[in-house]
Amino acid sequence: MKLTEIMKQRMALSFEVFPPKTDAGMEKLPDTLNHLYEFDPDYISCTYGAGGTNVGRNMDVCKLILSADNRTVPVTHFTCIGNTREEIKKQLDAYLEAGVDHMLALRGDLPFGWTGTNGDFAYATDLVKFVKDNYGDKIEIAVAGSPEGHIACRSLEADISFLKQKQDNGADYIMTQLCWDMEQFKRWLDGIRKAGVTMPVDVGIMPILDMAATINMALSRNACVMDRELCEIISRHWIFPNPFVKDPFDAAVDQKKEDFKKEGIAYTIRQIDKYRALGVDGIHLYALNKWKDVSEILNQSGIKTLV
């Protein structure tokens, strides 16, 4: 069954993992996946480096997921960065041969110093059309959605129009970027529906576990608004001189990290509650290759509990 068919019947649950950079990390990943499988996820997506820099490990992770007795579906990320038509077709053929027939089509974050993709496709809209024209319904295609607008786009209205173009070019469903501003998410959801975007919306959620990682994810690429509640959590547990210093002089650093993580998990659960109340089509948790924290969040949120 296609993931879009599942989303028509009920809210989907899924995770995102990344290909470990080291052999030791790859050795630990099967244990992490086995714990995630216990929640019966509808799919697990795997990130993909710019220009396919980790395409080998990405394929290894997808194959690892496939080997787990059909417990879930692997979804590979795929970017325009540095990719030619020939290279994209060669890689997609290899994924299909391996049994991976779901993808997230992205432009991708431009590497430092780049002004364009340095490939045949400048935008995800072009990649979606290429995949649809060449593979038809053989590959189910997810695309990114930015509730606050993509940082490189001239306006939110333009961003919504490009999302509609992705749908027109053959995309099947949306995976959203981070969004902590619930009022903005509601406005965006209303806006895309008015624009004729009918694709299911699968909401991407990053567990709030580490202060520096949270700030970095919000501001380094996405320009996400951190709502008052999240800012208060950061302020209450601020590590002096700042959370990015490797060896901060703050004497209470360990306790602050522990307290921040505890409040961050509670905040993440409340965020999930708000999204569920809006009737979104899926919850997509960035597992960060850590199963214990994700398991705690899911058990406390009540989406799926281990009996």
Side-chain angles (χ1 to χ4, degrees):
M1 182 181 293
K2 287 183 176 289
L3 297 175
T4 47
E5 291 301 318
I6 292 173
M7 292 180 199
K8 289 177 183 177
Q9 298 176 15
R10 58 171 171 77
M11 189 191 77
L13 173 66
S14 57
F15 303 113
E16 177 185 287
V17 298
F18 59 86
K21 294 181 179 179
T22 65
D23 291 339
M26 283 296 293
E27 290 173 3
K28 294 177 182 178
L29 188 59
D31 182 63
T32 296
L33 291 173
N34 284 333
H35 282 93
L36 296 178
Y37 294 149
E38 293 178 359
F39 290 97
D40 193 25
D42 295 294
Y43 71 89
I44 295 179
S45 73
C46 183
T47 62
Y48 174 105
T53 51
N54 63 357
V55 65
R57 289 208 186 264
N58 174 286
M59 176 71 85
D60 290 341
V61 173
C62 288
K63 287 181 176 179
L64 185 61
I65 295 169
L66 279 172
S67 69
D69 298 325
N70 296 316
R71 297 187 71 174
T72 191
V73 174
V75 176
T76 180
H77 291 205
F78 214 91
T79 76
C80 299
I81 306 296
N83 268 324
T84 65
R85 290 176 175 83
E86 292 76 17
E87 289 166 344
I88 287 173
K89 193 169 189 311
K90 181 178 179 181
Q91 290 180 49
L92 288 177
D93 287 345
Y95 278 104
L96 280 175
E97 186 176 351
V100 180
D101 55 4
H102 294 74
M103 67 179 288
L104 170 60
L106 302 160
R107 184 202 68 170
D109 295 326
L110 299 180
F112 182 75
W114 287 34
T115 57
T117 63
N118 289 350
D120 285 343
F121 303 129
Y123 302 105
T125 49
D126 305 320
L127 177 58
V128 171
K129 188 174 189 308
F130 176 82
V131 175
K132 196 67 177 180
D133 287 348
N134 283 272
Y135 296 94
D137 293 330
K138 291 181 180 179
I139 299 176
E140 190 169 36
I141 306 170
V143 290
S146 302
E148 296 173 84
H150 193 283
I151 190 172
C153 202
R154 58 185 172 270
S155 68
L156 181 62
E157 291 76 17
D159 201 52
I160 290 175
S161 71
F162 291 130
L163 188 58
K164 176 63 163 60
Q165 187 177 351
K166 292 176 186 178
Q167 176 178 282
D168 293 344
N169 285 356
D172 296 294
Y173 66 100
I174 302 165
M175 284 191 207
T176 70
Q177 301 282 10
L178 286 177
C179 182
W180 293 302
D181 185 341
M182 294 305 300
E183 293 307 311
Q184 174 57 31
F185 182 85
K186 293 174 187 177
R187 287 191 290 269
W188 173 81
L189 189 59
D190 183 58
I192 67 170
R193 295 310 187 210
K194 286 182 177 178
V197 177
T198 58
M199 291 183 288
V201 175
D202 198 1
V203 176
I205 296 178
M206 185 184 80
I208 305 299
L209 306 173
D210 177 86
M211 187 184 299
T214 300
I215 297 170
N216 182 62
M217 183 64 77
L219 301 179
S220 67
R221 298 283 188 181
N222 299 297
C224 289
V225 170
M226 287 181 280
D227 67 348
R228 174 75 184 196
E229 184 181 1
L230 179 54
C231 287
E232 286 180 353
I233 294 172
I234 292 172
S235 295
R236 276 196 297 272
H237 306 293
W238 186 259
I239 297 169
F240 292 94
N242 67 69
F244 295 96
V245 173
K246 185 176 181 181
D247 296 307
F249 58 70
D250 196 322
V253 61
D254 291 335
Q255 187 62 50
K256 285 183 175 180
K257 286 183 177 180
E258 182 180 335
D259 291 343
F260 177 85
K261 183 176 179 178
K262 183 178 180 180
E263 284 201 51
I265 287 175
Y267 173 89
T268 303
I269 292 167
R270 290 193 294 274
Q271 187 185 24
I272 290 173
D273 290 341
K274 292 174 184 177
Y275 277 123
R276 293 176 71 189
L278 288 176
V280 297
D281 301 294
I283 296 292
H284 185 58
L285 276 171
Y286 307 149
L288 308 173
N289 290 22
K290 298 176 182 179
W291 64 268
K292 290 184 179 179
D293 298 320
V294 170
S295 295
E296 182 178 349
I297 289 168
L298 288 178
N299 280 317
Q300 289 190 35
S301 70
I303 295 179
K304 285 188 178 180
T305 54
L306 300 183
V307 179

